Amino acid sequence: MEPLILLGLVLGLMFLGVPIAVALGLSSTLIIAYFSNDSVSSVAQQLFTASQNYTLLAIPYFILASSFMSTGGVARRIIRFAVAVVGHIRGGLAIAAVLACMLFAALSGSSPATVVAIGTLAISGMVQVGYSKSFAAGIIANAGTLGILIPPSIVMVVYAASVNVSVGRMFMAGVVPGLLAGAMLMGLIYIVARMKGLPAEPRKSVRQIIDAGKEAGFGLFLIVIILGGIYGGVFTPTEAAAVAAVYSFWTALFVYRDMGPMKGVSWFEPADPEEGRIGFSGAIYGTSLIITWFAVFFLLAPSVMAPWLTIVSGLALGLAGALYYVRLRGGEIGANAGSCFAGGAAIFARAVRLSLRHTLGTLFHEDTRKVLVDSAKVTVMLMFIIVNALLFAHVLTAERVPQIITDWMIGIGFNWFTFLIAVNVLLLIGGQFMEPSGLLLIVAPVVFPIAIQLGVDPIHLGIIMVVNMEIGMITPPIGLNLFVTSGITGMSLVQVVKAAMPFVAVLFLFLIMVTYIPALSTALPNAMFGPEIVQR
């Protein structure tokens, strides 16, 4: 009886317009106070325990990193790089928008942030060259959902915390499905582009692609820091999130200088000699080679080479790369390597002095303060939902709801195949009305024991749930990506829904593939770490 009363309270409060977090927390508190054997003090204890969850500490850091990356001009550079790579294909701007969403998803971990950052620039660009606004909006609304599937993902962190599985495994499990979903969207765009005769951009030269990649390189290197650091054992996912936040702050304000007191200040001045610019660029490229070499062999493949050999070979590679670039470019203007590096050192020293002079101003600048405040607002909202959802999950567990449902489903003959159908239906319906993190925290503790009993891999189940959350973000009435896309395009919500629906069909096909081809989710993490071990 208590579970039915709890469900009735939650649904009743939601239909009355009470915020979901309050509905979950208030219903759980009333059940504990009047029907449960738990004392009322357990409410405070559970809320405190939830707020102290170490895994969930990654969420505010990822939100902060995403905010700096969205504000700091990284999205513009990623779009330019994506257009340079695939823009020459028929429908290339639209395909580039999907690729840009995939790349930005690997930095932000958030679908709405991906839609805002990429959509604000990409949609207007597509409209200018002849795409309809509805077609462009539909692409961005759907491609933006990859923000919670391609690692790092805030929703994956929430799932891992709710059922106590490895965040690192979840991140690795999202790689192949994320790439597949992006490829399927690109394939549909290409077919539509061929049918409608959509334009293609002029093919970029190799030099232009390299230049675009160099410009976006500092932002994209965050992917290496997060994933390489986690899987190389340098830091935990929570520590990786903290490092990502600091790196994003440094990149946005000191490297790209798209915000803060140094906004618009170029690294080079008109009076800088050409050989100095060449030497500075050569040193940067050499340093990048060293960092990339260390990332590959220290973090991703530490057993391939001895540490001392990795250090020596990395330094040698960086020095050789810098010298090659300086000799190549310096030879074009008749300058020797020594003068180039001396001029580059002077430029670097000036940049360091400028950064040191503006360090305090950067920390307290209006742009920095705005990013921090906006990130704090999102964090408070999300964490309030999460702690109340965890309290709700505690009440469900205390009332033995998962065990009751497990016994009932097994008793009537459910197997893993029919169980996954039921999970998909439940999540697709729930995703239309609830925020993904809250829904996951309610449903995951209930279906997880059933999945384990029926032999479903917990990592596979997590990816299925994340894909369902993707679809929920672009289905009315509460699809968050729909509202965000409507806000940045000025289109009505109905227009955005109509624009997004053809691409939603692709994601439904993708959901079926992920559900019934477990290897898409489990092959990569199992190959790296072995199968997930769960204590029943």
Side-chain angles (χ1 to χ4, degrees), residues 263-529:
K263 182 177 181 180
V265 178
S266 174
W267 282 78
F268 299 122
E269 293 182 356
D272 289 334
E274 185 64 23
E275 60 263 28
R277 299 181 183 219
I278 292 173
F280 180 82
S281 299
I284 293 296
Y285 299 150
T287 304
S288 300
L289 280 174
I290 294 172
I291 294 173
T292 303
W293 185 267
F294 287 172
V296 170
F297 288 99
F298 271 135
L299 305 181
L300 302 181
S303 61
V304 173
M305 193 179 299
W308 69 268
L309 187 56
T310 300
I311 294 173
V312 171
S313 58
L315 293 174
L317 177 65
L319 180 60
L323 283 172
Y324 174 77
Y325 177 84
V326 169
R327 286 183 179 276
L328 180 66
R329 294 294 307 279
E332 296 175 358
I333 62 172
N336 60 56
S339 63
C340 289
F341 282 124
I347 294 174
F348 181 75
R350 185 184 65 222
V352 170
R353 289 194 301 269
L354 180 66
S355 297
L356 291 175
R357 188 162 64 248
H358 287 290
T359 297
L360 285 178
T362 297
L363 294 174
F364 297 100
H365 193 270
E366 178 63 29
D367 291 345
T368 307
R369 186 161 58 248
K370 183 178 185 302
V371 169
L372 291 173
V373 170
D374 290 346
S375 300
K377 289 179 180 178
V378 174
T379 299
V380 169
M381 176 197 70
L382 188 57
M383 295 304 291
F384 186 61
I385 294 174
I386 287 173
V387 295
N388 281 284
L390 286 173
L391 175 63
F392 182 81
H394 165 73
V395 174
L396 291 179
T397 303
E399 297 299 329
R400 300 188 73 254
V401 172
Q403 291 82 358
I404 293 171
I405 296 177
T406 300
D407 295 340
W408 174 76
M409 294 185 79
I410 293 176
I412 64 174
F414 266 71
N415 56 28
W416 71 273
F417 188 94
T418 51
F419 164 72
L420 291 179
I421 293 176
V423 169
N424 282 333
V425 171
L426 174 64
L427 291 173
L428 288 172
I429 295 174
Q432 297 180 28
F433 300 97
M434 289 186 64
E435 193 273 335
S437 297
L439 180 60
L440 262 182
L441 287 167
I442 294 171
V443 175
V446 175
V447 302
F448 185 79
I450 308 172
I452 299 303
Q453 188 76 20
L454 295 175
V456 178
D457 188 285
I459 300 299
H460 178 213
L461 176 67
I463 297 300
I464 291 172
M465 299 186 81
V466 171
V467 174
N468 275 283
M469 298 301 98
E470 275 192 273
I471 297 174
M473 298 191 80
I474 47 174
T475 50
I478 312 294
L480 187 55
N481 278 19
L482 299 176
F483 287 96
V484 175
T485 305
S486 174
I488 64 177
T489 59
M491 299 168 61
S492 69
L493 186 62
V494 173
Q495 289 174 316
V496 175
V497 171
K498 290 180 179 178
M501 283 304 106
F503 299 97
V504 175
V506 173
L507 293 184
F508 271 112
L509 175 61
F510 172 65
L511 173 62
I512 295 171
M513 293 173 64
V514 167
T515 302
Y516 294 111
I517 308 178
L520 291 175
S521 307
T522 59
L524 194 55
N526 286 352
M528 292 189 65
F529 312 113

Side-chain angles (χ1 to χ4, degrees), residues 6-7 39 45 66 76 88 207 281 327 338 347 420 493 518:
L6 177 63
L7 180 63
S39 66
Q45 182 180 357
S66 172
R76 171 169 49 82
H88 62 278
R207 180 61 181 272
S281 299
R327 286 183 179 276
I347 294 174
L420 291 179
L493 186 62

